[in-house]
Amino acid sequence: MLAYFSYGTRRYYDKPLTQHPHRHFWEFQAVLKGRIGKTTHQDASPPLKASNLWISPPGSDHGWTGEARKEATIIVLHFRYIPESLATLLNHSEAIEIPLSKDDCRQLHKLGRRVQNYWRNPGAGMLLCYEHALLELSVLAYEWLNKEETTHSRKRASDPVQLAMLWYNEHMHENPGLPEIARQANSSPANLRRHFHECLQASPKEVFDQLRYQRAMQLLTETAHPLTHIAEQCGFLDQSAFSRAFKTRFHCSPREIRRPHSA
């Protein structure tokens, strides 16, 4: 649930936001134009940054300052909770900074205008809009964190969830069982299940099924491969098994999904 929202121009240098020791919510604050800085007890005069997103956990003790005699355009959203997958990646207590691209800033401007409309004029789509805003910000943060880990080689090679997903994606056509996947991920089936539930709040089967049907959808809509080939590539025994499983999941047949010219 969105607890606080603000979007527009600020003069944080002239009217600094003082440090608040009892923040109750997750704070997303981004500067989209101009420069601002996050102040703490350890750093009362931080470097000012442009095009930047700060994510601060509940209990953070910080304030904000800006550039003298200049305005900055900011967007601030406070949420009671964030997605568990992001909270886990942040260890539930870590504050982060994310540099924003021009496209990121444009998207956050659009986000700010949408949320502002419901914040000022509550309506039927209000909660859906707020949930969408949280997911959009969380995806931005999650993708940046994973990109940073890869760029700086911090991603652990022993991460069983990541290893399992990568290996399964390459060997899906073999329809491997969980014992084989776990072995390739340097884990046991029981430990792999535990890791999946901890990291993704889902079972290995749920995640592997998502990958399997995701590839099926991609092949159905982007290629003209026959259904027998698609079934094989997605690890199904034959076309009939693929069609039955697909219809159970999506309530329509693979042929109904295909574009007319590739049916």
Side-chain angles (χ1 to χ4, degrees):
M1 174 65 71
L2 182 64
Y4 173 79
F5 170 76
S6 183
Y7 170 64
T9 57
R10 297 290 182 276
R11 289 180 175 268
Y12 277 147
Y13 182 85
D14 301 322
K15 296 181 179 180
L17 191 63
T18 56
Q19 293 166 25
H20 193 302
H22 302 297
R23 296 179 187 273
H24 299 294
F25 307 107
W26 285 91
E27 179 186 78
F28 293 76
Q29 176 148 191
V31 57
L32 308 179
K33 183 180 179 181
R35 299 192 302 157
I36 66 173
K38 182 179 178 181
T39 60
T40 65
H41 286 299
Q42 293 75 31
D43 190 0
S45 300
L48 303 181
K49 297 186 177 182
S51 304
N52 204 65
L53 169 66
W54 291 262
I55 303 178
S56 307
S60 297
D61 181 1
H62 64 269
W64 298 95
T65 188
E67 204 167 4
R69 295 180 296 280
K70 290 188 177 180
E71 291 183 339
T73 302
I74 58 98
I75 179 172
V76 187
L77 302 97
H78 291 187
F79 292 98
R80 189 174 183 84
Y81 304 106
I82 64 174
E84 186 63 25
S85 54
L86 179 59
T88 298
L89 201 58
L90 294 173
N91 295 318
H92 294 267
S93 61
E94 183 180 348
I96 63 168
E97 294 184 24
I98 299 175
L100 300 173
S101 67
K102 290 183 179 179
D103 186 57
D104 291 332
C105 289
R106 282 193 292 269
Q107 290 300 113
L108 290 179
H109 271 299
K110 291 180 182 178
L111 180 70
R113 289 191 289 269
R114 284 200 306 269
V115 175
Q116 187 176 66
N117 180 57
Y118 281 109
W119 191 254
R120 292 177 174 176
N121 308 288
M126 177 179 68
L127 297 182
L128 187 60
C129 177
Y130 297 164
E131 183 178 351
H132 174 267
L134 174 58
L135 289 175
E136 188 168 329
L137 289 164
S138 297
V139 168
L140 190 159
Y142 193 90
E143 290 181 346
W144 182 83
L145 285 166
N146 277 292
K147 177 182 175 183
E148 281 296 290
E149 287 187 353
T150 301
T151 301
H152 295 94
S153 301
R154 294 200 304 263
K155 182 169 287 296
R156 297 172 297 169
S158 60
D159 180 357
V161 172
Q162 186 71 12
L163 284 174
M165 291 176 65
L166 290 173
W167 188 86
Y168 178 81
N169 212 40
E170 293 179 0
H171 296 81
M172 185 187 302
H173 60 282
E174 300 171 7
N175 192 25
L178 186 60
E180 174 63 12
I181 299 171
R183 187 176 71 80
Q184 296 294 335
N186 303 315
S187 184
S188 68
N191 279 334
L192 192 60
R193 288 190 190 95
R194 178 173 59 82
H195 284 302
F196 267 77
H197 280 290
E198 288 177 353
C199 295
L200 303 176
Q201 293 77 56
S203 70
K205 184 181 185 306
E206 289 173 315
V207 175
F208 297 147
D209 278 351
Q210 174 66 31
L211 293 175
R212 170 185 273 194
Y213 288 108
Q214 188 171 303
R215 178 171 296 179
M217 278 292 191
Q218 182 181 9
L219 292 173
L220 284 168
T221 58
E222 297 180 10
T223 77
H225 294 320
L227 295 185
T228 52
H229 175 79
I230 295 175
E232 178 183 340
Q233 289 300 304
C234 296
F236 289 93
L237 183 63
D238 53 35
Q239 179 183 330
S240 295
F242 169 55
S243 295
R244 286 195 301 272
F246 191 94
K247 192 163 188 175
T248 297
R249 187 176 182 91
F250 296 110
H251 306 291
C252 64
S253 71
R255 292 188 184 280
E256 291 176 282
I257 293 294
R258 306 214 78 163
R259 294 173 296 186
H261 71 269
S262 60

